[in-house]
Every structure is written in structure tokens, then in C-alpha cells.
Amino acid sequence: MRKTMSYLYKLAFTDLCTGLSNRNAYEEKMQRLRKGQEKFKDLQIVFIDVDNMKFINDTYGHYAGDEVIKMVGKCIRKAFDKKDFCARYGGDEFICMVNGGVRDKIAEFYRLLRQEKYSISYPLDVSLGTTEYQIINDKGIDDMVKRCNENMRKEKKEKGAKQSDKII
């Protein structure tokens, strides 16, 4: 029975495509943060969005799109620690919550992503936004997530990358 419950929990909170936490796990994490069960004042957030995902799906097929999602997930799993919370937020978006030291992890993520690009014949790039707790502006974790998402969207817009159709 215990093994079955563990398996069902894993199914409910793991993204099957990437092996990362899924949106259910993200919502559960957010509830703990909102209730003060976990502290967020030292938290740094990273929002990652695959650029031109609709173009990849439409031009190379959904199999290629799935491969891109898997590659990005693999790079996230390798670059971030197990103690960091990383999830597939939805569609081609990912979120990572880290207690300090995020710059080195982002650099490693980009290094790994550059390596992965060599194994595919279609364009692969991401837009990334980061933020940390701002005592003056942030009333809670939701303010941080919103600002991080806005930072990522700003980078995407500056690069001229097209917004993907979201599955949320």
C-alpha cells in the first residue's frame, strides 16, 4: 500500500515529459509559501520560457517540440540542485525557486543548453527572468513570481522572440 501511495504521489506531482515537478507541485509549494510554512525572503526565482515554441511545433512537428521541452528540463535538472524547487510551470515555461547562489546555476544551465543545441537541427533558445525578494515592494510570494514573469517577458520582447501558445 505504501509503495502504491508513493507511486501515485509521484504521478500527481511530477511532469512526465521532463521529470521535474509539475504545476500541481508548484501550486502546493506556493500554498506553503503563502501560509508562511516556508520562508521566501532569501528566495530567488528564475522563470524560463522556450522561445518560438509554436514555430518549432508547426515547422518541425510536435515530436520536435517535445524533444525541446525534454532538453530544457534535462538542463534544469543538471544545473540546479535537488534542494532547489524546479517545475514545469506549463507548456514551455519553467520556474525554479532557489535559496541563494542562482547566478552560477543560470550560467551552468546556459552552458548545458548550448551543448544540447548541437544534437538538434532546429533553433533552440530560451528567455529567462530572475528576481529576489524586495522588502519595499513585495507583499508576498505572488508579487515575486509576477515580477519574475514580467522580467522574462521583457527579455523575450527585447529579443524579438514570439510568444508561444500557453497550455495552462
Side-chain angles (χ1 to χ4, degrees):
M1 182 69 161
R2 178 182 266 171
K3 205 174 197 179
T4 302
M5 292 301 287
S6 176
Y7 174 73
L8 291 175
Y9 182 87
K10 184 176 180 178
L11 272 179
F13 293 100
T14 303
D15 178 66
L16 298 178
C17 188
T18 64
L20 296 170
S21 295
N22 65 13
R23 185 63 183 253
N24 291 337
Y26 165 78
E27 293 297 340
E28 187 175 89
K29 172 88 171 168
M30 290 295 286
Q31 285 301 322
R32 289 192 308 271
L33 288 163
R34 286 180 191 119
K35 291 178 181 177
Q37 294 168 335
E38 293 184 29
K39 296 186 189 298
F40 62 86
K41 295 196 189 241
D42 295 327
L43 199 63
Q44 294 174 300
I45 301 175
V46 180
F47 222 108
I48 302 167
D49 185 272
V50 178
D51 293 341
N52 304 312
M53 191 67 188
K54 183 171 177 14
F55 171 80
I56 293 169
N57 281 333
D58 291 350
T59 306
Y60 301 96
H62 287 274
Y63 177 80
D66 286 349
E67 287 302 307
V68 166
I69 297 295
K70 288 176 187 176
M71 283 180 186
V72 172
K74 176 180 166 184
C75 293
I76 291 170
R77 280 194 327 273
K78 287 183 172 183
F80 290 83
D81 299 332
K82 292 203 183 287
K83 65 181 177 166
D84 300 327
F85 178 83
C86 296
R88 183 172 175 199
Y89 185 79
D92 62 347
E93 293 182 330
F94 300 84
I95 190 166
C96 297
M97 298 179 176
V98 178
N99 283 313
V102 76
R103 284 185 185 203
D104 290 342
K105 294 173 186 188
I106 291 171
E108 178 65 3
F109 168 74
Y110 276 125
R111 186 189 72 74
L112 292 166
L113 194 63
R114 279 191 303 277
Q115 282 181 336
E116 290 293 326
K117 285 183 184 183
Y118 293 114
S119 68
I120 58 175
S121 60
Y122 35 88
L124 172 58
D125 201 5
V126 298
S127 293
L128 190 141
T130 63
T131 196
E132 57 189 32
Y133 181 70
Q134 295 177 358
I135 196 163
I136 296 171
N137 297 324
D138 292 333
K139 294 181 179 83
I141 186 68
D142 293 294
D143 291 342
M144 289 178 65
V145 171
K146 182 179 178 186
R147 185 175 54 257
C148 192
N149 193 342
E150 289 168 357
N151 291 343
M152 181 272 300
R153 297 268 173 237
K154 181 179 176 186
E155 178 178 303
K156 187 178 267 303
K157 186 176 181 182
E158 288 171 359
K159 288 169 44 177
K162 297 203 183 315
Q163 300 293 324
S164 300
D165 296 333
K166 299 298 175 221
I167 306 169
I168 297 180

